[in-house]
Amino acid sequence: MYLLTPQLWPAFALFVLLALPMVVTDARESRLPLPLNLGLFGAGAVALPIAAVWVGFEHLVWAAISCGIATALMLLLFVIARGGLGFGDVILVAALALYTGFISPLMMLAGIWLGCIATLGWSLVRRRRGIRGHVPFGPGLILATLLVLVIPVATT
């Protein structure tokens, strides 16, 4: 709903411009480039407080809380997974939680869960076709986040 507010467009345009190349890179090379990853997080850290002037600073508080919770959970998974999850994925989830948490903490949860389900589904499809190997986590997370951000706008 808030994406209809023109004051949020620059912040989320930065999100799309930085996130989409990350989808391509992670899908091809199974790595998330650190400059783009940190750029995505930094863009949110700069653009969202500016947008909060128009939509309310409580959104900034929710973004910070969402980012903290998502980062803590991903760090725990990073330690438990022992190489099955890259640190770039942890940074990516922090950035995605910043953007989605700004709109709603529930949107942050929906984006991460949808990304996990999409990646698991892609992994199962690959396995069923006999394709083995690493399945990148970033594209599922980013595309699910974009979907979660766009669906409320499309349904209004």
Side-chain angles (χ1 to χ4, degrees):
M1 312 290 188
Y2 288 101
L3 287 181
L4 295 174
T5 308
Q7 292 84 1
L8 293 182
W9 295 349
F12 286 92
L14 281 171
F15 172 80
V16 171
L17 286 173
L18 292 167
L20 290 181
M22 292 173 68
V23 169
V24 173
T25 304
D26 200 17
R28 285 184 184 165
E29 303 173 15
S30 292
R31 69 177 189 87
L32 291 163
L34 188 60
L36 283 176
N37 220 345
L38 292 177
L40 183 65
F41 187 83
V46 170
L48 292 175
I50 294 169
V53 170
W54 286 279
V55 296
F57 287 100
E58 66 275 3
H59 293 283
L60 204 54
V61 171
W62 284 117
I65 291 169
S66 297
C67 182
I69 290 170
T71 304
L73 290 174
M74 284 302 286
L75 279 171
L76 180 65
L77 284 175
F78 177 74
V79 170
I80 292 171
R82 295 185 181 168
L85 184 69
F87 196 71
D89 295 319
V90 176
I91 298 169
L92 176 63
V93 165
L96 297 178
L98 192 63
Y99 278 95
T100 53
F102 187 82
I103 303 296
S104 161
L106 292 176
M107 192 173 279
M108 179 269 299
L109 290 172
I112 291 173
W113 279 109
L114 240 157
C116 291
I117 291 168
T119 304
L120 177 63
W122 181 244
S123 175
L124 292 174
V125 166
R126 285 173 47 105
R127 179 167 283 176
R128 185 141 179 114
R129 292 185 177 172
I131 303 170
R132 302 283 183 213
H134 176 74
V135 176
F137 197 30
L141 287 171
I142 292 170
L143 295 174
T145 298
L146 285 172
L147 184 68
V148 165
L149 289 172
V150 169
I151 282 179
V153 174
T155 59
T156 58

